Amino acid sequence: MTPGTPEVRVPRLVGLMAVDARETAEARGVLLAAPDRPDFHRTVVDYVVRQFPQPGAEVPRGAVVTVWFDLGDAEGGAGVREPRPPRPPSGGMRRELDCPGDPFEVLR
């Protein structure tokens, strides 16, 4: 660290889109790196899910803040969005009424 280099606080970048994270970092005097995105300079709408150092940390002006856009396989995510058994029991009218018999049944 160069003596006399002003310290800056790391901004909160988690939750921002890539383009907004780059603008915020530039305005606060830090640089961004994204190890999971080699094309980071062209990434626009992906959201930052993690950062290091944490927001509020004091770092030298021009320090690199690392951001990640992908949670990876072991860290969760949206999960499966299809219905899974057991399904809820059928209900409604079928459950309340008996099934009708033959409509042309002869009554005696």
Side-chain angles (χ1 to χ4, degrees):
M1 184 164 130
T2 309
T5 302
E7 299 276 321
V8 295
R9 290 199 182 270
V10 175
R12 178 174 174 78
L13 303 171
V14 174
L16 296 179
M17 288 191 301
V19 66
D20 296 330
R22 282 193 301 268
E23 290 174 3
T24 301
E26 183 179 335
R28 295 288 180 94
V30 294
L31 303 173
L32 289 185
D36 63 339
R37 296 296 159 107
D39 60 342
F40 174 62
H41 62 282
R42 290 184 290 172
T43 305
V44 177
V45 295
D46 291 343
Y47 287 88
V48 175
V49 297
R50 193 171 60 205
Q51 76 179 69
F52 182 82
Q54 296 297 319
E58 289 188 6
V59 296
R61 182 173 298 280
V64 175
V65 175
T66 305
V67 293
W68 289 268
F69 293 94
D70 189 7
L71 287 173
D73 295 336
E75 295 189 34
V80 177
R81 295 185 183 266
E82 63 187 49
R84 294 286 187 189
R87 294 182 181 209
S90 60
M93 295 302 288
R94 285 189 182 176
R95 192 170 196 178
E96 298 297 324
L97 302 174
D98 292 333
C99 292
D102 183 9
F104 300 105
E105 181 180 352
V106 178
L107 298 175
R108 295 183 189 194

